Amino acid sequence: MLYSSIFYVISLVQIKFGGFTFPQNPADNSSSFISTNDWFGIFDTMHFNISIWSYSALFYNVILFVPFGIFLLLLFNLKSNKKAISIVILSCSGIYFAGLLFGETGVVMRNNGNTDIIYLLFNVLGGVLGIFLVKYAVNYIHSYKLNSQTKIVE
């Protein structure tokens, strides 16, 4: 579970930031087989296509953060919904502000900024949805175990 959550976080950072593309030195004449811009170009293209206003982009932003809420509850065993939701809000805000900072410095491709707040809200919605999916699944499993135990006793 821990390794899958680490892989998820690394993938999330790559997808949300569009890949880290450090500017190459124009004075460097050495030709490499694959340049940094070629390697991360797929992330730039994907991020550009997703960041255009559409219902699929909104759905993608919700689905992208559902595992975050699931991993948050399963790995850290949080009992309070308020604490879990506040961690989701702070994490999504941190990713948003890190994207703004990296976009200003030129490390990642900058978004146009028109839909960033809406995407942030849908990211939070996805994390909260993941939290409630885990809570519902745990309650359902516990009620199923209790019902099966009472049938055995009867």
PDB file of all heavy atoms in Angstrom, residues 4-5 15 24 36 41 54 57-58 67 77 82-83 94 101 124 136 153:
ATOM      1  N   SER A   4       2.460   1.847  -3.520  1.00  0.00           N
ATOM      2  CA  SER A   4       1.487   2.335  -4.502  1.00  0.00           C
ATOM      3  C   SER A   4       1.123   3.784  -4.223  1.00  0.00           C
ATOM      4  O   SER A   4       0.893   4.556  -5.154  1.00  0.00           O
ATOM      5  CB  SER A   4       0.247   1.449  -4.515  1.00  0.00           C
ATOM      6  OG  SER A   4      -0.408   1.481  -3.271  1.00  0.00           O
ATOM      7  N   SER A   5       1.080   4.186  -2.963  1.00  0.00           N
ATOM      8  CA  SER A   5       0.771   5.590  -2.660  1.00  0.00           C
ATOM      9  C   SER A   5       1.937   6.498  -3.054  1.00  0.00           C
ATOM     10  O   SER A   5       1.718   7.617  -3.518  1.00  0.00           O
ATOM     11  CB  SER A   5       0.433   5.757  -1.182  1.00  0.00           C
ATOM     12  OG  SER A   5       1.558   5.457  -0.378  1.00  0.00           O
ATOM     13  N   ILE A  15       1.609  14.820 -13.425  1.00  0.00           N
ATOM     14  CA  ILE A  15       0.420  15.173 -14.198  1.00  0.00           C
ATOM     15  C   ILE A  15      -0.029  16.599 -13.898  1.00  0.00           C
ATOM     16  O   ILE A  15      -0.332  17.373 -14.807  1.00  0.00           O
ATOM     17  CB  ILE A  15      -0.712  14.162 -13.919  1.00  0.00           C
ATOM     18  CG1 ILE A  15      -0.356  12.817 -14.540  1.00  0.00           C
ATOM     19  CG2 ILE A  15      -2.036  14.664 -14.476  1.00  0.00           C
ATOM     20  CD1 ILE A  15      -1.283  11.694 -14.136  1.00  0.00           C
ATOM     21  N   GLN A  24      17.032  24.298 -21.428  1.00  0.00           N
ATOM     22  CA  GLN A  24      18.350  23.811 -21.785  1.00  0.00           C
ATOM     23  C   GLN A  24      19.281  24.982 -22.073  1.00  0.00           C
ATOM     24  O   GLN A  24      18.848  26.066 -22.460  1.00  0.00           O
ATOM     25  CB  GLN A  24      18.259  22.912 -23.006  1.00  0.00           C
ATOM     26  CG  GLN A  24      17.557  21.608 -22.716  1.00  0.00           C
ATOM     27  CD  GLN A  24      17.546  20.699 -23.927  1.00  0.00           C
ATOM     28  OE1 GLN A  24      17.825  21.135 -25.029  1.00  0.00           O
ATOM     29  NE2 GLN A  24      17.232  19.435 -23.704  1.00  0.00           N
ATOM     30  N   THR A  36      15.833  16.742 -22.883  1.00  0.00           N
ATOM     31  CA  THR A  36      14.900  16.883 -21.774  1.00  0.00           C
ATOM     32  C   THR A  36      13.540  17.337 -22.272  1.00  0.00           C
ATOM     33  O   THR A  36      12.514  16.869 -21.806  1.00  0.00           O
ATOM     34  CB  THR A  36      15.456  17.903 -20.754  1.00  0.00           C
ATOM     35  OG1 THR A  36      16.783  17.543 -20.439  1.00  0.00           O
ATOM     36  CG2 THR A  36      14.616  17.940 -19.511  1.00  0.00           C
ATOM     37  N   GLY A  41       7.996  16.260 -23.107  1.00  0.00           N
ATOM     38  CA  GLY A  41       7.044  16.888 -24.015  1.00  0.00           C
ATOM     39  C   GLY A  41       5.672  16.264 -23.954  1.00  0.00           C
ATOM     40  O   GLY A  41       4.664  16.951 -24.131  1.00  0.00           O
ATOM     41  N   SER A  54     -13.459  21.999 -20.206  1.00  0.00           N
ATOM     42  CA  SER A  54     -14.363  20.982 -20.732  1.00  0.00           C
ATOM     43  C   SER A  54     -14.866  20.145 -19.569  1.00  0.00           C
ATOM     44  O   SER A  54     -14.271  20.122 -18.488  1.00  0.00           O
ATOM     45  CB  SER A  54     -13.673  20.100 -21.765  1.00  0.00           C
ATOM     46  OG  SER A  54     -12.671  19.344 -21.150  1.00  0.00           O
ATOM     47  N   ALA A  57     -12.349  17.493 -18.588  1.00  0.00           N
ATOM     48  CA  ALA A  57     -11.264  17.984 -17.737  1.00  0.00           C
ATOM     49  C   ALA A  57     -11.730  18.082 -16.284  1.00  0.00           C
ATOM     50  O   ALA A  57     -10.965  17.779 -15.358  1.00  0.00           O
ATOM     51  CB  ALA A  57     -10.770  19.330 -18.230  1.00  0.00           C
ATOM     52  N   LEU A  58     -12.957  18.493 -16.069  1.00  0.00           N
ATOM     53  CA  LEU A  58     -13.482  18.561 -14.703  1.00  0.00           C
ATOM     54  C   LEU A  58     -13.597  17.160 -14.106  1.00  0.00           C
ATOM     55  O   LEU A  58     -13.220  16.929 -12.956  1.00  0.00           O
ATOM     56  CB  LEU A  58     -14.842  19.256 -14.688  1.00  0.00           C
ATOM     57  CG  LEU A  58     -14.843  20.715 -15.087  1.00  0.00           C
ATOM     58  CD1 LEU A  58     -16.265  21.245 -15.111  1.00  0.00           C
ATOM     59  CD2 LEU A  58     -13.983  21.543 -14.157  1.00  0.00           C
ATOM     60  N   PRO A  67      -8.081   8.759  -5.394  1.00  0.00           N
ATOM     61  CA  PRO A  67      -7.109   7.909  -4.678  1.00  0.00           C
ATOM     62  C   PRO A  67      -6.385   8.640  -3.554  1.00  0.00           C
ATOM     63  O   PRO A  67      -5.983   8.018  -2.568  1.00  0.00           O
ATOM     64  CB  PRO A  67      -6.119   7.490  -5.773  1.00  0.00           C
ATOM     65  CG  PRO A  67      -6.840   7.655  -7.041  1.00  0.00           C
ATOM     66  CD  PRO A  67      -7.787   8.796  -6.831  1.00  0.00           C
ATOM     67  N   ASN A  77      -4.873   6.391   8.905  1.00  0.00           N
ATOM     68  CA  ASN A  77      -5.913   5.951   9.835  1.00  0.00           C
ATOM     69  C   ASN A  77      -6.557   7.127  10.572  1.00  0.00           C
ATOM     70  O   ASN A  77      -6.646   7.123  11.799  1.00  0.00           O
ATOM     71  CB  ASN A  77      -5.334   4.927  10.815  1.00  0.00           C
ATOM     72  CG  ASN A  77      -6.411   4.102  11.470  1.00  0.00           C
ATOM     73  OD1 ASN A  77      -7.534   4.055  10.997  1.00  0.00           O
ATOM     74  ND2 ASN A  77      -6.050   3.453  12.566  1.00  0.00           N
ATOM     75  N   LYS A  82     -13.353  15.915   9.613  1.00  0.00           N
ATOM     76  CA  LYS A  82     -12.902  17.307   9.495  1.00  0.00           C
ATOM     77  C   LYS A  82     -11.396  17.379   9.284  1.00  0.00           C
ATOM     78  O   LYS A  82     -10.908  18.157   8.468  1.00  0.00           O
ATOM     79  CB  LYS A  82     -13.290  18.105  10.741  1.00  0.00           C
ATOM     80  CG  LYS A  82     -14.753  18.384  10.853  1.00  0.00           C
ATOM     81  CD  LYS A  82     -15.052  19.191  12.101  1.00  0.00           C
ATOM     82  CE  LYS A  82     -16.538  19.422  12.237  1.00  0.00           C
ATOM     83  NZ  LYS A  82     -16.857  20.198  13.438  1.00  0.00           N
ATOM     84  N   LYS A  83     -10.664  16.558  10.006  1.00  0.00           N
ATOM     85  CA  LYS A  83      -9.207  16.552   9.872  1.00  0.00           C
ATOM     86  C   LYS A  83      -8.793  16.047   8.495  1.00  0.00           C
ATOM     87  O   LYS A  83      -7.910  16.618   7.850  1.00  0.00           O
ATOM     88  CB  LYS A  83      -8.589  15.679  10.965  1.00  0.00           C
ATOM     89  CG  LYS A  83      -7.091  15.743  11.042  1.00  0.00           C
ATOM     90  CD  LYS A  83      -6.591  14.971  12.239  1.00  0.00           C
ATOM     91  CE  LYS A  83      -5.099  15.154  12.404  1.00  0.00           C
ATOM     92  NZ  LYS A  83      -4.586  14.473  13.586  1.00  0.00           N
ATOM     93  N   GLY A  94      -1.747  23.526  -1.631  1.00  0.00           N
ATOM     94  CA  GLY A  94      -0.287  23.498  -1.747  1.00  0.00           C
ATOM     95  C   GLY A  94       0.166  23.144  -3.150  1.00  0.00           C
ATOM     96  O   GLY A  94       1.097  23.746  -3.689  1.00  0.00           O
ATOM     97  N   LEU A 101       3.983  28.884  -8.472  1.00  0.00           N
ATOM     98  CA  LEU A 101       5.379  29.257  -8.261  1.00  0.00           C
ATOM     99  C   LEU A 101       6.274  28.681  -9.353  1.00  0.00           C
ATOM    100  O   LEU A 101       7.103  29.390  -9.928  1.00  0.00           O
ATOM    101  CB  LEU A 101       5.854  28.769  -6.893  1.00  0.00           C
ATOM    102  CG  LEU A 101       7.312  29.021  -6.547  1.00  0.00           C
ATOM    103  CD1 LEU A 101       7.550  30.509  -6.354  1.00  0.00           C
ATOM    104  CD2 LEU A 101       7.703  28.256  -5.316  1.00  0.00           C
ATOM    105  N   VAL A 124     -10.379  19.169  -4.765  1.00  0.00           N
ATOM    106  CA  VAL A 124     -10.822  18.979  -3.385  1.00  0.00           C
ATOM    107  C   VAL A 124     -12.041  18.060  -3.358  1.00  0.00           C
ATOM    108  O   VAL A 124     -12.137  17.160  -2.507  1.00  0.00           O
ATOM    109  CB  VAL A 124     -11.127  20.342  -2.717  1.00  0.00           C
ATOM    110  CG1 VAL A 124     -11.817  20.155  -1.381  1.00  0.00           C
ATOM    111  CG2 VAL A 124      -9.850  21.147  -2.546  1.00  0.00           C
ATOM    112  N   TYR A 136     -17.736   4.795   3.596  1.00  0.00           N
ATOM    113  CA  TYR A 136     -18.893   3.981   3.238  1.00  0.00           C
ATOM    114  C   TYR A 136     -18.504   2.515   3.101  1.00  0.00           C
ATOM    115  O   TYR A 136     -19.223   1.629   3.576  1.00  0.00           O
ATOM    116  CB  TYR A 136     -19.513   4.492   1.931  1.00  0.00           C
ATOM    117  CG  TYR A 136     -20.643   3.645   1.430  1.00  0.00           C
ATOM    118  CD1 TYR A 136     -21.890   3.690   2.044  1.00  0.00           C
ATOM    119  CD2 TYR A 136     -20.458   2.769   0.372  1.00  0.00           C
ATOM    120  CE1 TYR A 136     -22.930   2.897   1.606  1.00  0.00           C
ATOM    121  CE2 TYR A 136     -21.481   1.965  -0.080  1.00  0.00           C
ATOM    122  CZ  TYR A 136     -22.717   2.038   0.542  1.00  0.00           C
ATOM    123  OH  TYR A 136     -23.738   1.242   0.096  1.00  0.00           O
ATOM    124  N   VAL A 153     -24.973 -17.367  14.574  1.00  0.00           N
ATOM    125  CA  VAL A 153     -25.359 -17.601  15.959  1.00  0.00           C
ATOM    126  C   VAL A 153     -26.773 -18.118  16.028  1.00  0.00           C
ATOM    127  O   VAL A 153     -27.103 -18.966  16.850  1.00  0.00           O
ATOM    128  CB  VAL A 153     -25.191 -16.290  16.776  1.00  0.00           C
ATOM    129  CG1 VAL A 153     -25.738 -16.451  18.177  1.00  0.00           C
ATOM    130  CG2 VAL A 153     -23.742 -15.891  16.828  1.00  0.00           C
TER     131      VAL A 153
END
